[in-house]
Coordinates of all heavy atoms in Angstrom, one line a residue:
M159 N 0.8 -1.2 0.0 CA 0.0 0.0 0.0 C 0.9 1.3 0.0 O 0.5 2.3 -0.6 CB -0.9 0.0 1.2 CG -2.1 -0.9 1.1 SD -3.3 -0.4 2.3 CE -4.7 -1.2 1.6
K160 N 2.0 1.2 0.6 CA 2.8 2.4 0.7 C 3.3 2.7 -0.7 O 3.5 3.9 -1.1 CB 4.0 2.2 1.6 CG 3.6 2.1 3.1 CD 4.8 1.9 3.9 CE 4.4 1.8 5.4 NZ 5.6 1.6 6.3
N161 N 3.6 1.7 -1.5 CA 4.0 1.9 -2.9 C 2.9 2.6 -3.7 O 3.2 3.5 -4.5 CB 4.4 0.6 -3.6 CG 5.7 0.0 -3.0 OD1 6.5 0.8 -2.4 ND2 5.9 -1.3 -3.1
N162 N 1.7 2.2 -3.5 CA 0.6 2.8 -4.3 C 0.4 4.3 -4.0 O 0.2 5.1 -4.8 CB -0.7 2.1 -4.0 CG -0.8 0.7 -4.7 OD1 0.0 0.5 -5.6 ND2 -1.6 -0.1 -4.2
K163 N 0.6 4.7 -2.7 CA 0.5 6.1 -2.3 C 1.6 6.9 -2.9 O 1.4 8.0 -3.4 CB 0.5 6.2 -0.8 CG -0.8 5.7 -0.2 CD -0.8 5.8 1.3 CE -2.1 5.3 1.9 NZ -2.1 5.4 3.4
T164 N 2.8 6.4 -3.0 CA 3.9 7.2 -3.5 C 3.7 7.3 -5.0 O 4.2 8.3 -5.6 CB 5.2 6.5 -3.2 OG1 5.3 5.2 -3.7 CG2 5.5 6.5 -1.7
I165 N 3.1 6.3 -5.7 CA 2.9 6.4 -7.1 C 1.8 7.5 -7.4 O 1.9 8.2 -8.4 CB 2.6 5.1 -7.7 CG1 3.8 4.1 -7.6 CG2 2.1 5.2 -9.2 CD1 3.5 2.7 -8.0
N166 N 0.8 7.5 -6.6 CA -0.3 8.5 -6.9 C 0.0 9.9 -6.6 O -0.5 10.8 -7.2 CB -1.6 8.1 -6.0 CG -2.2 6.8 -6.5 OD1 -2.0 6.4 -7.7 ND2 -2.9 6.1 -5.6
E167 N 0.9 10.2 -5.7 CA 1.3 11.5 -5.4 C 1.9 12.3 -6.5 O 1.5 13.5 -6.7 CB 2.2 11.6 -4.1 CG 1.5 11.2 -2.9 CD 2.4 11.1 -1.7 OE1 3.6 11.4 -1.9 OE2 1.9 10.9 -0.6
P168 N 2.8 11.8 -7.3 CA 3.3 12.6 -8.4 C 2.3 12.9 -9.5 O 2.3 13.9 -10.1 CB 4.4 11.7 -9.0 CG 4.8 10.8 -7.9 CD 3.6 10.6 -7.1
G169 N 1.2 12.1 -9.6 CA 0.1 12.4 -10.5 C -0.6 13.6 -10.1 O -1.0 14.4 -10.9
D170 N -0.8 13.8 -8.8 CA -1.5 15.0 -8.3 C -0.6 16.2 -8.6 O -1.1 17.3 -8.9 CB -1.7 14.8 -6.8 CG -2.7 13.7 -6.5 OD1 -3.5 13.4 -7.4 OD2 -2.7 13.2 -5.4
E171 N 0.7 16.1 -8.5 CA 1.6 17.2 -8.7 C 1.5 17.6 -10.2 O 1.6 18.8 -10.5 CB 3.0 16.9 -8.3 CG 3.2 16.7 -6.8 CD 4.6 16.3 -6.5 OE1 5.4 16.2 -7.4 OE2 4.8 16.0 -5.3
K172 N 1.3 16.7 -11.1 CA 1.3 17.0 -12.5 C 0.0 17.9 -12.8 O 0.1 18.8 -13.6 CB 1.2 15.7 -13.4 CG 2.5 15.0 -13.5 CD 2.4 13.8 -14.4 CE 3.8 13.1 -14.5 NZ 3.7 12.0 -15.4
K173 N -1.1 17.6 -12.2 CA -2.3 18.4 -12.4 C -2.1 19.8 -11.9 O -2.5 20.7 -12.6 CB -3.5 17.8 -11.6 CG -3.9 16.4 -12.2 CD -5.1 15.9 -11.4 CE -5.5 14.5 -12.0 NZ -6.5 13.9 -11.2
T174 N -1.5 20.0 -10.8 CA -1.3 21.4 -10.3 C -0.2 22.1 -11.1 O -0.2 23.2 -11.3 CB -0.9 21.4 -8.8 OG1 0.2 20.5 -8.6 CG2 -2.1 20.9 -8.0
S175 N 0.8 21.3 -11.6 CA 1.9 21.9 -12.3 C 1.5 22.5 -13.6 O 2.0 23.4 -14.1 CB 3.1 20.9 -12.5 OG 2.7 19.9 -13.3
K176 N 0.5 21.9 -14.2 CA -0.1 22.4 -15.5 C -0.7 23.8 -15.3 O -0.4 24.7 -16.0 CB -1.1 21.4 -16.1 CG -1.6 21.8 -17.4 CD -2.6 20.8 -18.0 CE -3.1 21.2 -19.3 NZ -4.1 20.3 -19.9
W177 N -1.5 23.9 -14.2 CA -2.0 25.2 -13.9 C -1.0 26.2 -13.5 O -1.0 27.4 -13.9 CB -3.1 25.1 -12.8 CG -4.4 24.5 -13.2 CD1 -4.8 23.3 -13.0 CD2 -5.3 25.2 -14.0 NE1 -6.1 23.1 -13.6 CE2 -6.4 24.3 -14.2 CE3 -5.4 26.5 -14.5 CZ2 -7.5 24.6 -14.9 CZ3 -6.6 26.8 -15.2 CH2 -7.6 25.9 -15.4
K178 N 0.0 25.7 -12.8 CA 1.1 26.6 -12.4 C 1.9 27.1 -13.6 O 2.2 28.3 -13.7 CB 2.0 26.0 -11.4 CG 1.5 25.8 -10.0 CD 2.5 25.2 -9.1 CE 1.9 25.0 -7.7 NZ 2.8 24.3 -6.8
S179 N 2.1 26.2 -14.6 CA 2.8 26.6 -15.8 C 2.0 27.6 -16.6 O 2.6 28.6 -17.2 CB 3.2 25.4 -16.6 OG 2.1 24.8 -17.2
L180 N 0.7 27.5 -16.7 CA -0.2 28.4 -17.4 C -0.2 29.8 -16.7 O -0.1 30.8 -17.4 CB -1.6 27.9 -17.5 CG -1.8 26.7 -18.5 CD1 -3.3 26.2 -18.4 CD2 -1.6 27.2 -19.9
V181 N -0.2 29.8 -15.4 CA -0.2 31.0 -14.6 C 1.1 31.7 -14.8 O 1.2 32.9 -15.0 CB -0.5 30.8 -13.1 CG1 -0.3 32.0 -12.3 CG2 -2.0 30.3 -13.0
K182 N 2.2 30.9 -14.8 CA 3.5 31.5 -15.0 C 3.7 32.1 -16.4 O 4.3 33.1 -16.6 CB 4.6 30.5 -14.8 CG 4.9 30.2 -13.3 CD 6.0 29.2 -13.2 CE 6.2 28.8 -11.7 NZ 7.3 27.8 -11.6
K183 N 3.1 31.4 -17.4 CA 3.3 31.8 -18.8 C 2.4 33.0 -19.1 O 2.9 34.0 -19.7 CB 2.8 30.6 -19.7 CG 3.1 30.9 -21.2 CD 2.9 29.6 -22.0 CE 3.2 29.8 -23.4 NZ 2.9 28.6 -24.2
F184 N 1.1 33.0 -18.7 CA 0.2 34.1 -19.1 C -0.1 35.1 -17.9 O -0.5 36.2 -18.2 CB -1.1 33.5 -19.6 CG -1.0 32.7 -20.8 CD1 -1.2 31.4 -20.8 CD2 -0.6 33.3 -22.0 CE1 -1.1 30.6 -21.9 CE2 -0.5 32.5 -23.2 CZ -0.7 31.2 -23.1
G185 N 0.1 34.6 -16.7 CA -0.3 35.4 -15.6 C -1.8 35.4 -15.4 O -2.6 34.9 -16.2
I186 N -2.2 35.9 -14.2 CA -3.7 35.9 -13.9 C -4.4 36.8 -14.9 O -5.5 36.4 -15.4 CB -3.9 36.4 -12.5 CG1 -3.2 35.5 -11.4 CG2 -5.4 36.5 -12.1 CD1 -3.8 34.2 -11.2
G187 N -3.9 37.9 -15.2 CA -4.5 38.9 -16.1 C -4.6 38.2 -17.5 O -5.6 38.4 -18.2
G188 N -3.7 37.5 -18.0 CA -3.7 36.8 -19.3 C -4.8 35.8 -19.3 O -5.5 35.7 -20.3
I189 N -4.9 35.0 -18.3 CA -6.0 34.0 -18.2 C -7.4 34.6 -18.2 O -8.3 34.2 -19.0 CB -5.8 33.1 -17.0 CG1 -4.5 32.2 -17.2 CG2 -7.0 32.1 -16.8 CD1 -4.1 31.4 -16.0
I190 N -7.5 35.7 -17.5 CA -8.8 36.4 -17.5 C -9.1 37.0 -18.8 O -10.2 37.0 -19.4 CB -8.8 37.5 -16.4 CG1 -8.8 36.9 -15.0 CG2 -10.0 38.5 -16.5 CD1 -8.6 37.8 -13.9
F191 N -8.0 37.6 -19.5 CA -8.2 38.2 -20.8 C -8.6 37.2 -21.8 O -9.6 37.4 -22.6 CB -6.8 38.8 -21.3 CG -6.8 39.2 -22.7 CD1 -7.5 40.4 -23.1 CD2 -6.2 38.5 -23.6 CE1 -7.5 40.8 -24.4 CE2 -6.2 38.9 -25.0 CZ -6.8 40.0 -25.4
F192 N -8.0 36.0 -21.9 CA -8.3 35.0 -22.8 C -9.7 34.4 -22.6 O -10.4 34.1 -23.5 CB -7.3 33.9 -22.9 CG -6.0 34.3 -23.6 CD1 -4.8 34.3 -22.9 CD2 -6.0 34.7 -24.9 CE1 -3.6 34.7 -23.5 CE2 -4.9 35.1 -25.5 CZ -3.7 35.1 -24.8
T193 N -10.1 34.3 -21.3 CA -11.5 33.9 -21.0 C -12.5 34.9 -21.5 O -13.5 34.5 -22.1 CB -11.6 33.7 -19.5 OG1 -10.6 32.8 -19.0 CG2 -13.0 33.1 -19.1
V194 N -12.3 36.1 -21.2 CA -13.3 37.2 -21.6 C -13.3 37.3 -23.2 O -14.4 37.4 -23.8 CB -12.9 38.5 -21.0 CG1 -13.8 39.7 -21.6 CG2 -13.1 38.5 -19.5
K195 N -12.1 37.1 -23.8 CA -12.0 37.2 -25.2 C -12.8 36.0 -25.8 O -13.5 36.2 -26.8 CB -10.6 37.1 -25.7 CG -10.4 37.1 -27.1 CD -8.9 37.0 -27.5 CE -8.7 36.7 -29.0 NZ -7.3 36.4 -29.3
G196 N -12.7 34.8 -25.3 CA -13.5 33.7 -25.7 C -15.0 33.9 -25.6 O -15.7 33.5 -26.5
I197 N -15.4 34.4 -24.5 CA -16.8 34.7 -24.3 C -17.4 35.7 -25.3 O -18.4 35.5 -25.9 CB -17.1 35.1 -22.8 CG1 -16.8 34.0 -21.9 CG2 -18.5 35.7 -22.7 CD1 -16.8 34.4 -20.4
I198 N -16.6 36.8 -25.5 CA -17.1 37.8 -26.5 C -17.1 37.2 -27.9 O -18.0 37.5 -28.6 CB -16.2 39.0 -26.4 CG1 -16.4 39.7 -25.0 CG2 -16.4 40.0 -27.5 CD1 -15.4 40.9 -24.8
T199 N -16.1 36.5 -28.2 CA -16.0 35.8 -29.6 C -17.2 34.9 -29.8 O -17.8 34.9 -30.8 CB -14.7 35.1 -29.8 OG1 -13.6 36.0 -29.5 CG2 -14.6 34.5 -31.2
S200 N -17.5 34.1 -28.8 CA -18.6 33.2 -28.9 C -20.0 33.9 -29.0 O -20.8 33.5 -29.8 CB -18.7 32.3 -27.6 OG -17.6 31.5 -27.5
I201 N -20.1 35.0 -28.3 CA -21.4 35.8 -28.4 C -21.5 36.4 -29.8 O -22.5 36.4 -30.4 CB -21.4 36.9 -27.3 CG1 -21.6 36.2 -26.0 CG2 -22.5 37.9 -27.6 CD1 -21.4 37.2 -24.8
L202 N -20.4 37.0 -30.3 CA -20.4 37.6 -31.7 C -20.7 36.5 -32.7 O -21.5 36.8 -33.6 CB -19.1 38.2 -32.0 CG -18.8 39.6 -31.2 CD1 -17.4 40.1 -31.5 CD2 -19.9 40.6 -31.6
I203 N -20.1 35.4 -32.6 CA -20.3 34.3 -33.6 C -21.8 33.9 -33.6 O -22.5 33.7 -34.6 CB -19.4 33.1 -33.4 CG1 -18.0 33.5 -33.8 CG2 -19.9 31.9 -34.1 CD1 -16.9 32.5 -33.4
Y204 N -22.4 33.8 -32.4 CA -23.8 33.4 -32.2 C -24.7 34.4 -32.9 O -25.6 34.1 -33.7 CB -24.1 33.2 -30.8 CG -25.6 32.9 -30.5 CD1 -26.1 31.6 -30.8 CD2 -26.4 33.9 -30.0 CE1 -27.4 31.3 -30.6 CE2 -27.8 33.6 -29.8 CZ -28.3 32.3 -30.1 OH -29.6 32.0 -29.9
F205 N -24.6 35.7 -32.5 CA -25.5 36.7 -33.0 C -25.2 37.0 -34.5 O -26.2 37.3 -35.2 CB -25.4 37.9 -32.2 CG -26.1 37.8 -30.8 CD1 -25.4 37.8 -29.7 CD2 -27.5 37.6 -30.8 CE1 -26.1 37.6 -28.4 CE2 -28.2 37.4 -29.6 CZ -27.5 37.4 -28.4
L206 N -24.0 37.1 -34.9 CA -23.7 37.3 -36.3 C -24.1 36.1 -37.2 O -24.5 36.3 -38.3 CB -22.3 37.7 -36.5 CG -21.8 39.0 -36.0 CD1 -20.3 39.2 -36.2 CD2 -22.6 40.2 -36.6
G207 N -24.0 34.9 -36.6 CA -24.4 33.7 -37.4 C -25.9 33.7 -37.6 O -26.3 33.2 -38.6
K208 N -26.7 34.2 -36.7 CA -28.1 34.2 -36.9 C -28.5 35.1 -38.0 O -29.4 34.7 -38.8 CB -28.8 34.7 -35.6 CG -28.9 33.7 -34.5 CD -29.4 34.3 -33.2 CE -30.9 34.0 -33.1 NZ -31.5 34.5 -31.9
N209 N -27.9 36.2 -38.1 CA -28.3 37.2 -39.2 C -27.3 37.3 -40.3 O -27.2 38.3 -41.0 CB -28.5 38.5 -38.5 CG -29.6 38.5 -37.5 OD1 -30.6 37.8 -37.7 ND2 -29.4 39.2 -36.4
F210 N -26.4 36.3 -40.4 CA -25.3 36.4 -41.4 C -25.8 36.7 -42.8 O -25.3 37.6 -43.4 CB -24.5 35.1 -41.3 CG -23.3 35.1 -42.3 CD1 -22.2 35.9 -42.0 CD2 -23.4 34.3 -43.4 CE1 -21.1 35.9 -42.9 CE2 -22.3 34.3 -44.3 CZ -21.2 35.1 -44.0
W211 N -26.7 35.9 -43.3 CA -27.2 36.0 -44.7 C -27.9 37.3 -44.9 O -27.9 37.9 -45.9 CB -28.0 34.8 -45.1 CG -27.1 33.6 -45.2 CD1 -27.2 32.5 -44.4 CD2 -26.1 33.4 -46.1 NE1 -26.2 31.6 -44.8 CE2 -25.5 32.1 -45.9 CE3 -25.5 34.1 -47.2 CZ2 -24.5 31.6 -46.6 CZ3 -24.5 33.6 -47.9 CH2 -23.9 32.4 -47.6
T212 N -28.7 37.8 -43.9 CA -29.4 39.0 -44.0 C -28.4 40.2 -44.1 O -28.6 41.1 -45.0 CB -30.2 39.3 -42.7 OG1 -31.1 38.1 -42.5 CG2 -31.1 40.5 -42.9
V213 N -27.3 40.2 -43.3 CA -26.3 41.2 -43.4 C -25.6 41.2 -44.7 O -25.4 42.2 -45.4 CB -25.3 41.1 -42.2 CG1 -24.1 42.0 -42.4 CG2 -26.0 41.3 -40.9
I214 N -25.3 40.0 -45.2 CA -24.6 39.9 -46.5 C -25.4 40.4 -47.7 O -25.0 41.1 -48.5 CB -24.1 38.4 -46.7 CG1 -23.1 38.0 -45.7 CG2 -23.6 38.2 -48.1 CD1 -21.8 38.8 -45.7
T215 N -26.7 40.0 -47.7 CA -27.6 40.4 -48.8 C -27.8 41.9 -48.8 O -27.9 42.5 -49.8 CB -28.9 39.6 -48.8 OG1 -29.5 39.8 -47.5 CG2 -28.8 38.2 -49.0
N216 N -28.0 42.4 -47.6 CA -28.2 43.9 -47.5 C -26.9 44.6 -48.0 O -27.0 45.7 -48.6 CB -28.5 44.3 -46.1 CG -29.9 43.9 -45.7 OD1 -30.8 43.7 -46.6 ND2 -30.2 43.8 -44.4
Y217 N -25.8 44.1 -47.6 CA -24.5 44.7 -48.0 C -24.3 44.7 -49.5 O -24.0 45.8 -50.1 CB -23.3 44.0 -47.4 CG -22.0 44.6 -47.7 CD1 -21.5 45.8 -47.3 CD2 -21.2 43.8 -48.6 CE1 -20.3 46.3 -47.6 CE2 -19.9 44.3 -49.0 CZ -19.5 45.5 -48.5 OH -18.3 46.0 -48.9
F218 N -24.6 43.6 -50.2 CA -24.4 43.5 -51.6 C -25.5 44.3 -52.3 O -25.3 44.8 -53.4 CB -24.3 42.1 -52.1 CG -23.0 41.5 -51.8 CD1 -22.8 40.4 -50.9 CD2 -21.9 41.9 -52.5 CE1 -21.6 39.9 -50.6 CE2 -20.6 41.3 -52.2 CZ -20.5 40.3 -51.3
S219 N -26.7 44.3 -51.8 CA -27.8 45.0 -52.5 C -27.5 46.6 -52.4 O -27.9 47.2 -53.4 CB -29.1 44.7 -51.8 OG -29.2 45.2 -50.5
T220 N -26.9 47.0 -51.4 CA -26.5 48.5 -51.4 C -25.4 48.8 -52.3 O -25.3 49.9 -52.9 CB -26.2 48.9 -49.9 OG1 -25.1 48.1 -49.4 CG2 -27.4 48.8 -49.0
I221 N -24.5 47.8 -52.5 CA -23.4 48.1 -53.4 C -23.9 48.1 -54.9 O -23.5 49.0 -55.6 CB -22.3 46.9 -53.3 CG1 -21.6 47.1 -52.0 CG2 -21.3 47.0 -54.5 CD1 -20.6 46.0 -51.7
F222 N -24.8 47.2 -55.3 CA -25.2 47.2 -56.7 C -26.3 48.1 -57.0 O -26.7 48.3 -58.1 CB -25.6 45.7 -57.0 CG -24.4 44.8 -57.0 CD1 -24.4 43.7 -56.1 CD2 -23.4 45.0 -57.9 CE1 -23.3 42.8 -56.1 CE2 -22.3 44.1 -57.9 CZ -22.3 43.0 -57.0
D223 N -26.9 48.8 -56.0 CA -28.0 49.8 -56.3 C -27.5 51.1 -56.7 O -26.5 51.6 -56.7 CB -28.9 50.0 -55.1 CG -29.8 48.8 -54.9 OD1 -30.0 48.0 -55.9 OD2 -30.4 48.7 -53.8

């Protein structure tokens, strides 16, 4: 049993080290920035995707008129 516990402990360190490496690489502000950027991008894709063909047809109809 002692061997199993020592094997499981390094696995837990790998999970935290991934987060630590991301925080070291981007910082807290960078992680917040990329999260907000992803949310804004998703919202824009959703709303522009709903009206995409309407916007395109209106744009081209104004060009050719």
Side-chain angles (χ1 to χ4, degrees):
M159 287 199 157
K160 291 181 181 178
N161 291 337
N162 289 339
K163 289 181 181 178
T164 57
I165 291 172
N166 290 338
E167 288 177 359
D170 293 337
E171 291 176 6
K172 287 184 179 179
K173 290 179 184 176
T174 57
S175 67
K176 184 177 180 180
W177 282 105
K178 286 181 183 179
S179 67
L180 286 174
V181 170
K182 284 181 183 177
K183 188 174 183 180
F184 298 113
I186 300 285
I189 293 173
I190 292 171
F191 170 76
F192 286 119
T193 304
V194 171
K195 179 183 170 188
I197 291 169
I198 291 171
T199 305
S200 299
I201 291 170
L202 287 175
I203 289 171
Y204 176 74
F205 284 113
L206 290 177
K208 284 175 94 173
N209 299 321
F210 178 74
W211 290 112
T212 308
V213 171
I214 295 296
T215 54
N216 287 339
Y217 177 74
F218 283 113
S219 65
T220 56
I221 288 176
F222 293 120
D223 282 345

